Amino acid sequence: MTAAFTFPGQGSQAVGMGKALAEAFPAARAVFDEVDSALGEKLTAIIWDGPAETLQLTENAQPALMAVSLATMRVLETEAGISLSRDAAFVAGHSLGEYSALAAAGSLSISDAARLLRTRGLAMQKAVPVGVGAMAALLGLDYETAVAVAEEAAQGDVCHAANDNGGGQVVVSGHKAAVERALEIAKTKGAKRAMLLPVSAPFHCSLMQPAADAMAAALASVTIHVPTVPLVSNVLASAISDPDEIRRRLVEQVTGTVRWRECVLFMASHGVTRFLEIGSGKVLSGLVKRIAEGAVGTAVGGPQDIAAAKDALAAAHSV
């Protein structure tokens, strides 16, 4: 197996995502109906019709992105004959995308994933009052330098390297004053750009501990099965399949660093050359090319992408 299936995180949402798939394929429509039923509301209406500000709310964006990813996955299975257990070596997801990856691999039900992500989004939003925290992207610095910048900027506050996205892109998170200090320090360390991100809370740092506690309680009551293919965990950058460990790492992920660069390198070191990004946007496909030499990223999110996904897998298996 030389292919991996990856699943996007927050920031990849867009009004109208998944609509063409649902209109073209009953299997996709069924996923959206299942998510609406699980949440007891028409999240689908927000996904397809907006407004954008409502979709961008963390409590909506997280289950919405999962819904689109799983709808895409179901179409790949029913229309392209793709089988995750046969065609993929690993699954991985960026932040909330881990829940999409686990649902795709049969570890979580779609309904449970939707409810967990609604809980996760609400808990992350409530963990820190609006305006207290911030996140910023530091571009052009390697991870070790960005960690040093965050440590220097903390000065008694929280400032943490939240996402190591690869390609010289690291996101820091924490108290707003500390993150603003990090912007200035990063420029003195050679950052090409350093900018605040338009997010509503400081994700993936210790300020999210109340949200981690909420997720520990929510995950304790959910059945997690062994995934059909291993999950490459955000916080470990290595593969796991044990349900108890999956549960534990999902809790750690709320406050821990998303080690995406290392996740991609781990998969590449195990022979993966084709990375299929399942769902909305092309962020992960763009990052793959900058992280792993020779790796190919293919974004699959619309009806026109299904044939390309089939071709990408055929190429992966012929290597």
Side-chain angles (χ1 to χ4, degrees), residues 174-193:
H175 285 109
K176 190 176 183 195
V179 171
E180 288 173 340
R181 286 193 292 270
L183 292 176
E184 298 310 310
I185 295 167
K187 290 168 188 172
T188 70
K189 303 286 187 184
K192 291 175 185 171
R193 286 179 72 197

Side-chain angles (χ1 to χ4, degrees), residues 1-3 268 270-274 294-296 311-319:
M1 294 293 180
T2 54
H270 286 75
V272 173
T273 55
R274 300 270 172 167
V296 177
D311 291 346
L313 283 173
H317 295 325
S318 67
V319 172

Side-chain angles (χ1 to χ4, degrees), residues 266-279:
F266 172 86
M267 291 183 275
S269 74
H270 286 75
V272 173
T273 55
R274 300 270 172 167
F275 292 80
L276 277 72
E277 180 177 6
I278 309 300

Side-chain angles (χ1 to χ4, degrees), residues 104-126:
S107 188
L108 287 171
S109 72
I110 290 174
S111 293
D112 281 343
R115 286 188 288 262
L116 285 167
L117 286 170
R118 170 55 58 81
T119 298
R120 185 177 182 269
L122 285 168
M124 290 174 113
Q125 189 59 66
K126 282 168 49 183

Side-chain angles (χ1 to χ4, degrees), residues 125-191:
Q125 189 59 66
K126 282 168 49 183
V128 180
V130 174
V132 171
M135 298 181 78
L138 311 182
L139 306 182
L141 297 182
D142 62 31
Y143 178 63
E144 290 72 20
T145 304
V147 168
V149 167
E151 288 174 352
E152 185 179 336
Q155 296 178 25
D157 290 335
V158 170
C159 191
H160 181 73
N163 298 353
D164 179 14
N165 288 330
Q169 183 191 119
V170 182
V171 175
V172 295
S173 180
H175 285 109
K176 190 176 183 195
V179 171
E180 288 173 340
R181 286 193 292 270
L183 292 176
E184 298 310 310
I185 295 167
K187 290 168 188 172
T188 70
K189 303 286 187 184

Side-chain angles (χ1 to χ4, degrees), residues 4 6 90-94 98 142-147 160-170 231-240 256-272 275 284 287-293 295:
T6 65
F90 303 102
V91 292
H94 193 285
E98 285 203 322
D142 62 31
Y143 178 63
E144 290 72 20
T145 304
V147 168
H160 181 73
N163 298 353
D164 179 14
N165 288 330
Q169 183 191 119
V170 182
L231 171 78
V232 179
S233 161
N234 281 185
V235 295
L236 295 178
S238 60
I240 57 175
T257 302
V258 176
R259 297 167 60 185
W260 190 252
R261 175 181 58 88
E262 293 174 88
C263 288
V264 171
L265 288 173
F266 172 86
M267 291 183 275
S269 74
H270 286 75
V272 173
F275 292 80
L284 302 183
L287 290 173
V288 156
K289 299 165 192 170
R290 294 156 61 184
I291 295 170
E293 188 175 348

